[in-house]
Amino acid sequence: MKVTIDGRPLEVTDKMTILDLARDKGIYIPSLCHYPGLVPFTGCRLCLIAVKGREALAPACGTFIEDGMDVTTNTPALQKTRRQILELILSEHAGACLACHDKGARLDELAAVDEAGPAAGRSLYSNNGDCEFRKLIDYLKPDKAQFPSLDGTLEIRKDDPLLDRNYNLCVLCGRCVRICHEVRGVSALAFVYRGSRAGVGTAFGRRLLDTDCQFCGACLDVCPTGALIEKSAHPEILPDTENNTICSFCGQGCELTLFLKQGKILRSVPAKQGSVNQGQACLKGRFLVSEAVYHRSRVVRPMVRKNGKLEETTWDEALAVVAQKLSGCPARDIAIAGSAHDSCEDIFALDKFGGEGLETENIASHGDFTAQARLRDFARLQGFEPRLNFRISDIGRAKTIVLFGENLAVSQPMVWLEVYKSIRNGAKLIIVGPQELCIRRCASSWIKLRPGQESELLIGLSKILSDSGHAAESAKIDGFAAFKNRLQEFELSGAAASLGLQEEKLLKLALLLEKRKPTAYLFGAEVCEGSSGAANLAALWNLALQTEGLLVPLSSESNARGAFEISAFFRKKDGPPGRIIQGISNGSFLTLYVVGSSLRLEKKPAAFVVIQDSYLNGNSDFADVILPQTTFAEAEGTFVNVEGRLQKFERVIEPLGDSRPGWRIISHLAQKMGMAGFSFRSASDVFQELTGRVPAFHGLGREQLTGGVFLREPEADRRRFAAAEAFAGVDAAPSIAAGPDVYKGLEMSRDIKDLRLIRGR
Amino acid sequence: MDIEKILKESGTSQKDLVPLLHKIQAAYGHVPPESIAAVAKHLHLSESEVFGVLSFNRFFTLAPKGKVRVTVCQGTACHVRGGGRIVEEMEKKLGIPAGQTTADKKLSLEKAYCLGCCAIGPVVVVNGTHYSLVSPQKVDSILEKAKTAE
Ligand code: SF4
Ligand code: SF4
Ligand code: FES
Ligand code: FES
């Protein structure tokens, strides 16, 4: 298509709006309600432009390019119209915004206005010190508020944690309402009332805590004014530096931008271009980074227990004590519990130290018990390799999504955003599990089951499908005949009765899966655990084959996949990690080296206990030595996210106190014990050895890592129907009691009044 | 009629919201605030969304209304002919602002924006009975009759 903008001839191939095209070509058109990625709203009218041949002015943000269009974006008449519109908006906006637009107005003056503000019912800064609305005032230069001002009469809402809402500054652009609805799937905010009372709010003006709000902060980040204010932000405390990192609080691997002032983290926001998160984050990444890094329970000096009490000491002494104990202990009496929250470098150093230095086989971490680990174990026993890598965006291709038990919005926020996007595009979500989740609202049905009943449901569906006329496609897949045979013994009516479902409902569900292919099955570790785990996995595998299903095993630690790939490499025999965890809780080892706090210690688990962690917690009571580890903000390294995407992160701040990165602690310890092969000087050194040795990482270079690369894995799995029997009885994965894990965010949110409510629902 | 029954008879998608609120209001005379959660759940909406629509639409009310409803038109034509003064007069006489109900819960005063009979404005409607060409002087007698209206 050919178009002309301000006399400039332009060529366009994609369907796009005039505003997007203008932005792309560096032509400025003012806009307010427009926000990239949201459905055009055309509410504010500040982007009005003239299209030749059309009588009325058109909003650039909502007008799509047509062939031959001749557009004018900047004439005195247009500016005048826009200015008048801005003056109208200002009539409902704090009049002082006009003063604020003066670039000469210094921050301290603004703060003085702000001091006086509460009395006048206003607080005048935009939360990021970067007010979009002020820029519009600068550009359109209204002289004065032309209309009687209605501002300043609304009470500032300060009754929520983390953010305040000052609707005196709201310009009704609706960005917050739309991001909450269109992107987050929460709709905690809505337009309420009408006429001069019209505003943004919640049902009955409740606080956000009493809505489904997830405190993701998305509304804060899109608000162009100071209406939504981050509680911890202050107009005088502005960052001097910003640095990106990868959030390590869960397995999504969101890219965050950390704002620093004098080397300290002020706040964090989702990076706009983050490859996984694209400008979104969750409560933890958005609000709790600085809380986690500077948490009062951080341990920053090595500690050794003397006369029953932990006392601070030097690295030299602490490492000497550990070295001596470990040297004197037979390898089979030593156990190591790793952390799936650590970087690949930390985990590699630890596993190498354990496996090759100490030569113990007793190494396990949470990474060994995730859905991914179980799926791989299962498939291998059937004689094939499953693919574990996926892209979150792959889920978007599914027309039916079946979700097991997880409260996705909390546990896998980015996966949830994709699922929600697909729902908006017409996909159906089916939730299977015992509890009603807050995302139930977006699902087309909820199959209420007791845990352990999943396979019954899945096999029932398989049976219906294999008996139906639709079986033709799947009949071509290996092992179908045997599979169908086995299904003969399965009694549908009996299963329906024990599930408490009408047979009718099962039929309908099966039909949905058949009609709306491809499908996706999202499941976490719970589905694979315990005595029913094997049957569940087999049933899932088979149903997925019948319905062009994508199996999406979910894990929640920031580096679960990395941990499991690395420890699988060092594990000599196929030693079942479940036995090790069991052994630790039974006290079968003499010496225990625990990293992180995903394991909960109930009693002293071994004669000598070393804890390498960033925090003191209940587990510390049983430690003989504590080795303080940095958090992700103080170190560099790599994580593998839930998709199998390897991403690097750089150090953002100096280590707190004497804390050190995990790989460095291990290297020093190994050197103290006289072991060779630990002369790593940097995380890159470790990474280099890691990529040379661990197959999944072969040949991946650090320089490739911007945006992330995927781990190596076998080309495609052999597609064949599986039997559950082959897996049954093999080391049923233990369900591990959750440890006092700060990173999971639960402990932290308990510190903030009432916030735990969100995490639970 | 109980809410559950009304819900059962309604569809379950967003477009069913306004008709559903109408049914509830018809049954109760207002939309009971406690019903919002059930409505939201039934239609897969959030409570804020339901509240947004409800508070936007003048027809709906969350508080019970009096048996007598006095509606004063404030549409353009009636406004030009002094509809504003009629409301003020009514507010003064009844001692309540428009949009509210008298303390004895008998009478509610409401504003409307064009009732479709501009030629005879200013217009006041009392439970379906229209009064045309209303002047402030007529307010007393209208209210007098309103007290006995059914
Ligand atoms: S914090 Fe997130 S969930 Fe809460 S209102 Fe804002 S956008 Fe919606
Ligand atoms: S609060 Fe902010 S984002 Fe929301 S409508 Fe008002 S100005 Fe727009
Ligand atoms: S930005 Fe186009 S109408 Fe608001
Ligand atoms: S303006 Fe009152 S009836 Fe039309």
Side-chain angles (χ1 to χ4, degrees), chain A residues 320-363:
Chain A
V321 174
V322 178
Q324 192 215 340
K325 281 287 177 182
L326 286 175
S327 306
C329 187
R332 64 174 182 327
D333 291 329
I334 303 174
I336 297 178
S339 164
H341 277 307
D342 276 0
S343 69
C344 294
E345 290 76 1
D346 295 343
I347 293 166
F348 182 83
L350 179 76
D351 286 4
K352 181 180 178 186
F353 172 71
E356 295 177 353
L358 296 172
E359 296 184 42
T360 173
E361 270 155 28
N362 310 320
I363 312 177

Side-chain angles (χ1 to χ4, degrees), chain A residues 344-345 348 566 638 686-694 697:
Chain A
C344 294
E345 290 76 1
F348 182 83
I566 296 169
T638 53
V686 187
F687 186 76
Q688 207 172 3
E689 181 171 332
L690 158 70
T691 52
R693 296 184 65 192
V694 181
F697 295 77

